[in-house]
Amino acid sequence: MSAFSRFTPLISALPSTVPFVGPEALERQRGLSVKARIGANENGFGPAPSVLAAMREQAGDIWMYNDPENFELKQALAAHLGVQAANIAVGEGIDSLLGLIARMVIEPGTPVVTSLGGYPTFNFHVAGFGGRLVTVPYVDDREDLDGLLQAVKRENAPLVYFANPDNPMGSWWEADKIVAFARALPENCLLILDEAYSETGPASSLPDILALIDLPNVLRTRTFSKAYGLAGARVGYVIGAPETVLTFDKIRNHFGMNRLATVAALAALKDRAYLAEVVGKIRAAREEIGTIARDNGLLPLASATNFVAIDCGRDGIYARAIVDGLIQHGVFIRMPGVAPLNRCIRVSVGPGQDLDLLAEALPKVLKAIG
């Protein structure tokens, strides 16, 4: 049977792809079981017991749609952050929100600035709307703020993406540098400031919530997937000027939010003690990952996220061999996809038993590949 013939030329030209190969796919492809899931930047410590209790208590209401205005969650987030509800838009994780922002700005051929080796899902959305990626290499394993600004001005780009703390390297910039970067951008360039890892980095890396709220060309994206341990629930949100945030109501899926995911997010915001506890566990796990790396002659990079990038000291072929070798032992990790970042592997935090499996398997893999 022939394929449907009236897809748009753009859709017909795009490859069918998934930006990330998940551990489930690896299990299916290789006929093995993942024993240590420490590659997807999830929070293996999980959500607070109070969050799980709230979800169980309200599971019977799942027959109802979620409030299409996300009123209660927006109010709770506004109170938590010290802004107004009009400054908040809610969506099905940052990935979904990135797609909406791309749709707002990008037409076929639109130049979009990002870092070479930065978050692949953003690139996926840019391609999906026909944008033209303009990439700026990392400098010293950090996104190059000066280079991004120069590229925006050179290309007259209406959209630039910058993550702080950064994925995939775990590096970060201090808040004053980020504010200066945002204010130096042309007014007709929209900045996506991806702060998915805002809770796990140093406080000095996070601009005050009011420092950028007056700029209509800045959208800060945050999530419940990382520190709050709710990656599977898909809850993200945007912070910005009201007139910009209101634009989401033109194109968002109004019934896209999961009712129990909203319950979970509301409960998570209330349990500040657990958040502090789990952030402490994340920091301790980062230290343990660093120790495992050093014990095997590898170099862990400083990280402000819930993962650690580890410099393997050689090239991407060698790093890929480590990733492939570890999965044979049931240990799932990932690596950056672009040189020279791909000299690294990336290990997410997780409970002690997962890191024990890493510590056991890594020397065997390194010995085997030589």
Side-chain angles (χ1 to χ4, degrees):
M1 181 180 296
S2 60
F4 179 69
S5 62
R6 296 192 68 178
F7 290 121
T8 66
L10 173 59
I11 291 299
S12 297
L14 289 172
S16 296
T17 185
V18 177
F20 294 104
V21 177
E24 298 87 355
L26 292 173
E27 288 180 324
R28 291 190 294 268
Q29 293 166 5
R30 305 196 182 200
L32 48 76
S33 175
V34 170
K35 302 171 185 175
R37 184 174 172 133
I38 49 175
N41 299 356
E42 299 151 324
N43 176 359
F45 302 111
S50 60
V51 171
L52 297 175
M55 295 176 75
R56 284 191 293 267
E57 181 181 342
Q58 299 193 45
D61 291 338
I62 197 63
W63 63 271
M64 290 187 279
Y65 288 117
N66 193 67
D67 172 13
E69 296 182 9
N70 298 301
F71 178 84
E72 189 176 1
L73 182 53
K74 287 169 68 174
Q75 292 288 330
L77 283 166
H80 176 73
L81 296 167
V83 296
Q84 301 298 311
N87 295 115
I88 305 290
V90 173
E92 306 93 305
I94 287 179
D95 290 353
S96 175
L97 292 165
L98 290 177
L100 293 177
I101 298 169
R103 182 180 172 189
M104 293 175 190
V105 176
I106 296 173
E107 296 177 319
T110 299
V112 178
V113 174
T114 187
S115 297
L116 180 64
Y119 190 44
T121 299
F122 175 70
N123 301 349
F124 175 81
H125 287 307
V126 171
F129 288 99
R132 175 172 61 86
L133 279 172
V134 178
T135 57
V136 177
Y138 282 59
V139 174
D140 296 329
D141 296 327
R142 289 201 300 181
E143 293 192 82
D144 180 4
L145 287 176
D146 289 339
L148 291 169
L149 180 60
Q150 291 169 14
V152 165
K153 293 179 176 180
R154 182 182 69 247
E155 300 286 339
N156 190 25
L159 185 62
V160 59
Y161 173 89
F162 168 68
N164 193 67
D166 174 64
N167 175 13
M169 301 308 287
S171 51
W172 69 96
W173 284 91
E174 293 297 298
D176 60 334
K177 299 295 186 183
I178 297 164
V179 172
F181 171 71
R183 294 194 173 276
L185 286 169
E187 293 181 358
N188 62 355
C189 179
L190 181 65
L191 167 63
I192 301 174
L193 177 55
D194 189 341
E195 297 178 323
Y197 303 93
S198 58
E199 292 89 359
T200 60
S204 60
S205 69
L206 192 65
D208 184 90
I209 202 66
L210 300 180
L212 300 171
I213 206 70
D214 63 312
L215 295 179
N217 65 325
V218 175
L219 289 173
R220 302 169 73 169
T221 58
R222 295 189 183 179
T223 185
F224 285 84
S225 295
K226 308 304 180 184
Y228 290 103
L230 289 168
R234 310 311 301 133
V235 184
Y237 58 99
V238 166
I239 311 158
E243 60 269 30
T244 307
V245 167
L246 190 62
T247 309
F248 285 91
D249 279 345
K250 298 181 179 183
I251 56 173
R252 70 182 177 90
N253 180 358
H254 290 75
F255 284 115
M257 287 298 298
N258 179 295
R259 188 178 187 88
L260 283 185
T262 300
V263 168
L266 287 166
L269 280 176
K270 293 177 183 176
D271 200 334
R272 299 192 181 190
Y274 182 81
L275 177 63
E277 177 186 340
V278 82
V279 168
K281 289 181 178 180
I282 288 169
R283 289 172 180 158
R286 289 195 311 233
E287 290 298 320
E288 186 172 353
I289 293 167
T291 298
I292 293 169
R294 285 186 289 268
D295 286 348
N296 286 276
L298 306 178
L299 178 64
L301 304 184
S303 174
T305 61
N306 69 345
F307 62 85
V308 177
I310 299 172
D311 190 339
C312 298
R314 289 162 65 174
D315 59 12
I317 295 173
Y318 182 69
R320 171 55 62 189
I322 296 174
V323 172
D324 290 343
L326 285 173
I327 195 64
Q328 295 303 318
H329 292 268
V331 178
F332 166 66
I333 67 167
R334 283 190 174 133
M335 60 181 283
V338 175
L341 308 182
N342 66 353
R343 74 186 192 282
C344 298
I345 57 175
R346 195 193 67 198
V347 180
S348 305
V349 301
Q353 63 267 27
D354 287 1
L355 299 188
D356 288 345
L357 286 171
L358 173 67
E360 179 183 344
L362 184 56
K364 296 177 183 177
V365 170
L366 294 175
K367 182 178 179 180
I369 64 178

